Amino acid sequence: MDKNHARRWRRKAAFGLIAGSLTVLTAATALAQDAGYRLDVMDKLKIRVAEWQPADGTIHSMDGIAGDYTIGPEGTIFLPFIGDIKAAGRSPSDISKEIGERLQSQFALRTTPSASVEVAEFGPIYLAGDIQTPGQYPFAPNLTVLKAVSLAGGLRRADAGQRFARDFINASGDTAVNQAEYARLLARRARLLAEINDKTEIKIPPGLEKVANAKTLLASEQALMQSRRESYELRLKALGDLKELLNSEVQSLNQKEATQQSQLKLVKEDRARIDRLTEKGLMTSSRQLTSAERSANVESTLLDIDTATLRAKQDISQADQDEITLRNNWKADRTKELQDTEAQIEKIELELSTNHQLMSEALAQSAEAAKFDPSGKPTSVKYTIVRDDGDGAKEIPVDETVKLEPGDVVKVMSQLLME
């Protein structure tokens, strides 16, 4: 394989890695796109743009456009060279496509630039009513009414049993969050163990059998494992193909060397014959000089072949070392990730144990006080979400398990029950 071909091979490999990096999404963006999330006012976006330069085989980053942008009250963002782009009500992928197309049109580019639009931060939510600390709070994926109330310090209670009731609600909310994280960590550990042991399927680990979304968690980890395995095997195959190509080159050089050795033998025999005839005066000295030049040319070609063969063998050795390093790093990375996951699992288990103790203590100390208001009548809690889907704000009665969206206003009201 000549130098130019090797450069092209390395350049394509580098382009594949760099281009692939533009498709990486934040966890918030990936979840938003999977769930069909539509952007809204106050969402913060991180935008990056790059263009492939076919002339020199490089990636050109458009830093003048890249940056963080917040969707304004009009539902738009303003980008240099492009102007206003309508963002509210659209998906991140729609925005990235429009940015690439408008840049191509604006600058008459041969290829459409690749734009990455990530949701860096969702718009906030608001809590009002009978809660400990009303106000504005940051939104996070999978945030439920119960989790939001726990962020605000729980329900506002009467003096009797207020502290214990608040402790119970906080601990209950923390437990729900920790249990969800615990299930994700168990699924991740199962995937890492399968990867380390070269398994193709993930078995349901102990602790996930009774979790409602266990199949969804394992399916997500299975997809991630398959994607990572395919990428790993693709890199191994690339190294294998390179070694096969280099071995073919070595074989070709060996055959060429054998041919040149045979030719050198004939040239030397012819030179010896000419030397003898020249000594006897039967051959001119110019013929002797020509024979010597032929011999020198063949020997120079043999030297070039030896040098090329040595270089190809060094490249094969380097490819072997790269393959060993790739395999070792594959195992080491997953082992390190498994250790970190185990540490996180131990931390969550400790937090769950503490939360359960707090809940037990709160119930033991204020089981009755948490059920009554100061008048002695039993109470219940009513949750309402005020949400604007584009057709005006609407109030939606919900329970504690309903998932919130950015911009939601959660109203919490304590109600007396009729006896």
Side-chain angles (χ1 to χ4, degrees), residues 91-108:
S91 68
S93 60
D94 290 340
I95 306 299
S96 61
K97 180 180 179 182
E98 180 176 346
I99 291 173
E101 291 174 348
R102 290 178 65 171
L103 283 173
Q104 183 181 24
S105 175
Q106 177 76 11
F107 296 107

Side-chain angles (χ1 to χ4, degrees), residues 33-290:
Q33 291 185 349
D34 290 343
Y37 176 73
R38 298 296 171 178
L39 299 172
D40 204 352
V41 174
M42 295 302 291
D43 283 349
K44 294 183 179 180
L45 307 179
K46 180 180 289 292
I47 296 178
R48 295 174 295 171
V49 183
E51 180 192 6
W52 167 244
Q53 301 288 336
D56 54 6
T58 60
I59 297 292
H60 171 65
S61 179
M62 297 185 178
D63 295 333
I65 300 175
D68 297 333
Y69 298 86
T70 300
I71 300 177
E74 298 81 9
T76 62
I77 56 175
F78 180 85
L79 272 67
F81 308 111
I82 295 179
D84 288 326
I85 292 182
K86 178 68 176 177
R90 303 175 65 187
S91 68
S93 60
D94 290 340
I95 306 299
S96 61
K97 180 180 179 182
E98 180 176 346
I99 291 173
E101 291 174 348
R102 290 178 65 171
L103 283 173
Q104 183 181 24
S105 175
Q106 177 76 11
F107 296 107
L109 302 176
R110 293 177 57 188
T111 59
T112 303
S114 178
S116 169
V117 178
E118 304 175 6
V119 181
E121 183 180 328
F122 290 100
I125 60 167
Y126 306 87
L127 284 90
D130 296 333
I131 53 175
Q132 192 65 26
T133 311
Q136 173 181 309
Y137 291 88
F139 176 82
N142 295 321
L143 184 67
T144 62
V145 172
L146 177 60
K147 293 177 184 178
V149 170
S150 70
L151 289 176
L155 299 176
R156 184 169 60 241
R157 312 286 307 179
D159 291 339
Q162 178 180 5
R163 180 172 66 84
F164 296 106
R166 183 171 64 249
D167 289 345
F168 179 84
I169 294 174
N170 290 339
S172 177
D174 291 341
T175 298
V177 173
N178 288 337
Q179 284 176 338
E181 180 64 18
Y182 186 64
R184 284 193 291 271
L185 289 172
L186 291 179
R188 182 191 304 170
R189 180 173 65 180
R191 186 254 301 165
L192 291 170
L193 288 173
E195 287 182 322
I196 291 174
N197 296 318
D198 294 326
K199 303 295 185 182
T200 58
E201 298 292 334
I202 303 176
K203 294 184 178 180
I204 298 182
L208 273 186
E209 300 93 335
K210 297 181 180 180
V211 176
N213 64 335
K215 291 184 178 180
T216 302
L217 291 174
L218 290 178
S220 176
E221 294 294 337
Q222 181 73 42
L224 176 60
M225 182 177 73
Q226 182 176 350
S227 175
R228 291 169 64 161
R229 171 63 67 174
E230 289 175 353
S231 176
Y232 169 66
E233 291 178 348
L234 186 61
R235 284 180 287 173
L236 284 177
K237 184 179 182 301
L239 287 173
D241 291 343
L242 177 60
K243 289 194 294 182
E244 183 178 349
L245 199 61
L246 290 171
N247 281 319
S248 298
E249 184 177 353
V250 170
Q251 292 177 3
S252 177
L253 289 170
N254 288 337
Q255 293 174 359
K256 188 174 181 180
E257 181 181 15
T259 302
Q260 290 296 316
Q261 289 287 1
S262 299
Q263 186 174 354
L264 179 61
K265 181 179 178 181
L266 294 175
V267 169
K268 286 183 175 181
E269 290 175 354
D270 185 57
R271 180 181 178 183
R273 182 179 59 82
I274 292 174
D275 288 344
R276 289 193 299 270
L277 292 174
T278 302
E279 290 174 358
K280 295 177 181 181
L282 301 176
M283 189 70 66
T284 62
S285 58
S286 61
R287 180 67 181 275
Q288 185 182 24
L289 180 59
T290 301

Side-chain angles (χ1 to χ4, degrees), residues 242-356:
L242 177 60
K243 289 194 294 182
E244 183 178 349
L245 199 61
L246 290 171
N247 281 319
S248 298
E249 184 177 353
V250 170
Q251 292 177 3
S252 177
L253 289 170
N254 288 337
Q255 293 174 359
K256 188 174 181 180
E257 181 181 15
T259 302
Q260 290 296 316
Q261 289 287 1
S262 299
Q263 186 174 354
L264 179 61
K265 181 179 178 181
L266 294 175
V267 169
K268 286 183 175 181
E269 290 175 354
D270 185 57
R271 180 181 178 183
R273 182 179 59 82
I274 292 174
D275 288 344
R276 289 193 299 270
L277 292 174
T278 302
E279 290 174 358
K280 295 177 181 181
L282 301 176
M283 189 70 66
T284 62
S285 58
S286 61
R287 180 67 181 275
Q288 185 182 24
L289 180 59
T290 301
S291 178
E293 290 176 350
R294 288 177 57 198
S295 178
N297 289 336
V298 174
E299 289 176 348
S300 176
T301 300
L302 281 172
L303 182 60
D304 291 341
I305 292 174
D306 289 340
T307 302
T309 302
L310 179 59
R311 187 180 298 111
K313 289 181 178 180
Q314 289 175 340
D315 290 342
I316 291 174
S317 178
Q318 182 62 49
D320 287 333
Q321 185 60 45
D322 290 344
E323 182 177 351
I324 293 172
T325 301
L326 178 60
R327 293 183 184 275
N328 290 340
N329 288 344
W330 170 266
K331 261 322 192 219
D333 290 346
R334 274 133 197 84
T335 301
K336 175 63 168 60
E337 190 176 353
L338 178 61
Q339 291 174 348
D340 294 341
T341 302
E342 294 284 6
Q344 293 176 18
I345 289 176
E346 291 180 3
K347 179 183 176 182
I348 292 292
E349 289 176 342
L350 180 60
E351 290 177 354
L352 284 171
S353 176
T354 302
N355 289 335
H356 288 151

